[in-house]
Amino acid sequence: MLNLERLRTLDALARHGSVSGAAEGLHITTSAVSQQMSKLEREVGQRLLAKNGRGVRLTDAGRLLAEHAARILSQVQLAQSDLEAQRGQVAGELRVAAFPTAARGLFPVALADLRERHPALRVRSRELEPERGIAGVVRGDLDLAVLLDWYNKPMPLPDGLVKAPLMDDPADVALPAGHRLAARDEVDLAELADDEWITWGEGEFCHEWLMFTLRSRGIEPIVGHRAAESHTQLGLVAAGLGVCIAPLLGRNPLPEGVVTVPLRQRMRRHVFVVWRADADRRPSIRAAVRALRAAGESVGTAPAPAHH
């Protein structure tokens, strides 16, 4: 009889590609991963792992069993989802992630609401950039991930995920209080062509969006500084070091010396949540989505139409 936890370990190894990645995804030690794999090899009577430089790789037998493991674990998830739905109870553990401003702007309200309404539900949360959040849900390390895309640049999603919109998040430009345009009611992007931009890290979805948006307007952006956190960006703006895009979600309180001005080219982010289709009937997922939507409404941004 194949042991489910050992199959889960094999699945994590196949998905993460390393012992350390599997250990992090499963929240166990690397030695525990190695022990589980040794036991699984004894159970099946075949080598599943082979040394590959300093790391390991799956053998042909390992890859074959990993494919079965993924299907078995998906069926187990479906069974658990159906049982939870039949019971109708919001209970157990829910692992959630959100990009930083959503974690700051939505999680305190939503997770406190879940704790009050559903005391039998244990929620574990973390901050993750959108790409890593998607990967976590696909791998099964996360139950839910709060993601974003922009009005002119959708976030590509893999098959097998369910998506529900939470809110629309309007974005302004943040300027130093002494900036020549700080007193304006509205600013055109073209008027910022000679300003230095404070943006996100190279390769991050929001950075790529900003470069795409400015270049589509004929502006070759001058990037002065990069910072992953919005409040770090706003601190650099306060110091007079450039301008940045400032979505409403999670930005308050603004640092002293920073002014936000609406852009003539209305900008907004779509904030949404995803989970695996095989977990779709879980009451805990439904409860979390409701709490996140309510949190989105409470921070004052317009919720997107409900559908998924």
Side-chain angles (χ1 to χ4, degrees), residues 203-255:
E204 284 189 25
F205 182 74
C206 285
H207 170 77
E208 298 302 324
W209 162 78
L210 181 59
M211 299 299 101
F212 165 78
T213 300
L214 292 173
R215 285 169 181 152
S216 71
R217 298 278 173 178
I219 301 165
E220 185 51 42
I222 305 163
V223 176
H225 306 277
R226 301 177 188 278
E229 289 283 352
S230 61
H231 273 252
T232 306
Q233 293 183 13
L234 291 169
L236 294 168
V237 173
L241 297 171
V243 304
C244 76
I245 295 296
L248 180 61
L249 180 64
R251 85 180 177 203
N252 292 321
L254 281 174

Side-chain angles (χ1 to χ4, degrees), residues 122-187:
R122 296 184 308 279
V123 181
R124 286 165 42 187
S125 73
R126 57 193 299 198
E127 281 187 4
L128 283 179
E129 290 300 331
E131 293 87 348
R132 292 188 64 200
I134 292 170
V137 174
V138 168
R139 285 195 304 261
D141 301 339
L142 295 169
D143 298 303
L144 287 170
V146 179
L147 310 174
L148 67 93
D149 58 20
W150 289 88
Y151 67 102
N152 58 344
K153 194 173 177 65
M155 168 71 76
L157 291 176
D159 292 337
L161 299 184
V162 179
K163 171 181 176 179
L166 298 178
M167 52 183 279
D168 282 350
D169 187 23
D172 301 325
V173 64
L175 309 170
H179 193 278
R180 68 190 187 282
L181 302 173
R184 292 273 293 277
D185 294 330
E186 191 177 70
V187 172

Side-chain angles (χ1 to χ4, degrees), residues 33-183:
V33 170
S34 299
Q35 288 167 17
Q36 291 276 44
M37 290 307 300
S38 295
K39 290 175 181 174
L40 185 57
E41 286 183 329
R42 287 198 296 273
E43 277 181 356
V44 300
Q46 286 181 268
R47 290 283 302 278
L48 302 174
L49 295 179
K51 288 196 179 301
N52 185 30
R54 292 187 177 181
V56 294
R57 61 174 176 79
L58 293 178
T59 63
D60 288 346
R63 283 197 299 273
L64 179 66
L65 186 55
E67 289 172 9
H68 284 290
R71 288 194 291 272
I72 290 165
L73 292 168
S74 182
Q75 284 299 120
V76 169
Q77 176 72 263
L78 275 169
Q80 289 173 333
S81 180
D82 284 347
L83 284 169
E84 214 178 288
Q86 188 186 49
R87 222 173 31 238
Q89 293 177 333
V90 179
E93 183 176 273
L94 199 68
R95 300 156 302 168
V96 301
F99 61 94
T101 50
R104 175 187 173 92
L106 297 180
F107 274 2
V109 173
L111 302 191
D113 180 51
L114 280 172
R115 174 174 286 185
E116 183 179 344
R117 290 174 183 270
H118 307 290
L121 180 67
R122 296 184 308 279
V123 181
R124 286 165 42 187
S125 73
R126 57 193 299 198
E127 281 187 4
L128 283 179
E129 290 300 331
E131 293 87 348
R132 292 188 64 200
I134 292 170
V137 174
V138 168
R139 285 195 304 261
D141 301 339
L142 295 169
D143 298 303
L144 287 170
V146 179
L147 310 174
L148 67 93
D149 58 20
W150 289 88
Y151 67 102
N152 58 344
K153 194 173 177 65
M155 168 71 76
L157 291 176
D159 292 337
L161 299 184
V162 179
K163 171 181 176 179
L166 298 178
M167 52 183 279
D168 282 350
D169 187 23
D172 301 325
V173 64
L175 309 170
H179 193 278
R180 68 190 187 282
L181 302 173

